[in-house]
Amino acid sequence: ARADDIRFPKDGSPAFLIKLPDGWISHEDQFNGIQLLPSDHRTLVYLSMVRDPQYKDKPLMDLALAIGKPSNITEFPRQEPGAISGHSGTTFIGKMHNDKGTLLDVKMVIIPLEPDLWATETLLTSQNLTSAQVEALHTAVDGVSLTSLK
């Protein structure tokens, strides 16, 4: 059974269009974000639209650290170019511990959309994933796109 495509946020533009892989679930949270999870919960894709005038004209690293702060992410030692469905931005790479103390790899892609609006896609992955788990994560990420911008 193919899950229906999800539009997040439901109204307005820009928005994410999400094709959920079989066996994955989505969960919207109170922080204007949506989590995409496989049944084993070893990986997580977190998508959000962030509008915050206070980060206009600031380095993207400032925004990445502000987004990471509630999860106790204090640094992103690596940066590289990133993109979501052809819209380019920056990928911030680091690590964090979840509430169970498990070390997770963090990959946060931030795409500037307007001077004070960013699309973010954060991948949280357990260490030592199987090739099938990595493949499923790639399928999930490939299923995420951004609606055409205004």
Side-chain angles (χ1 to χ4, degrees), residues 14-100:
F16 291 103
L17 296 175
I18 304 157
K19 285 182 175 37
L20 261 191
D22 289 339
W24 283 56
I25 58 163
S26 66
H27 170 73
E28 292 184 26
D29 68 16
Q30 70 271 34
F31 306 110
N32 298 324
I34 186 168
Q35 300 175 14
L36 313 178
L37 294 152
S39 55
D40 64 12
H41 290 212
R42 293 284 311 275
T43 59
L44 177 141
V45 179
Y46 185 75
L47 305 170
S48 67
M49 290 287 173
V50 177
R51 186 176 292 280
D52 192 335
Q54 122 182 27
Y55 291 97
K56 184 179 170 180
D57 303 323
K58 294 246 173 71
L60 278 182
M61 178 63 87
D62 292 3
L63 180 64
L65 290 170
I67 293 169
K69 192 174 181 191
S71 303
N72 295 315
I73 300 169
T74 54
E75 62 170 357
F76 289 101
R78 277 188 31 228
Q79 287 181 58
E80 57 190 41
I84 299 174
S85 66
H87 300 283
S88 57
T90 305
T91 302
F92 296 88
I93 299 166
K95 295 189 182 308
M96 68 168 278
H97 287 88
N98 68 10
D99 51 8
K100 297 182 183 78

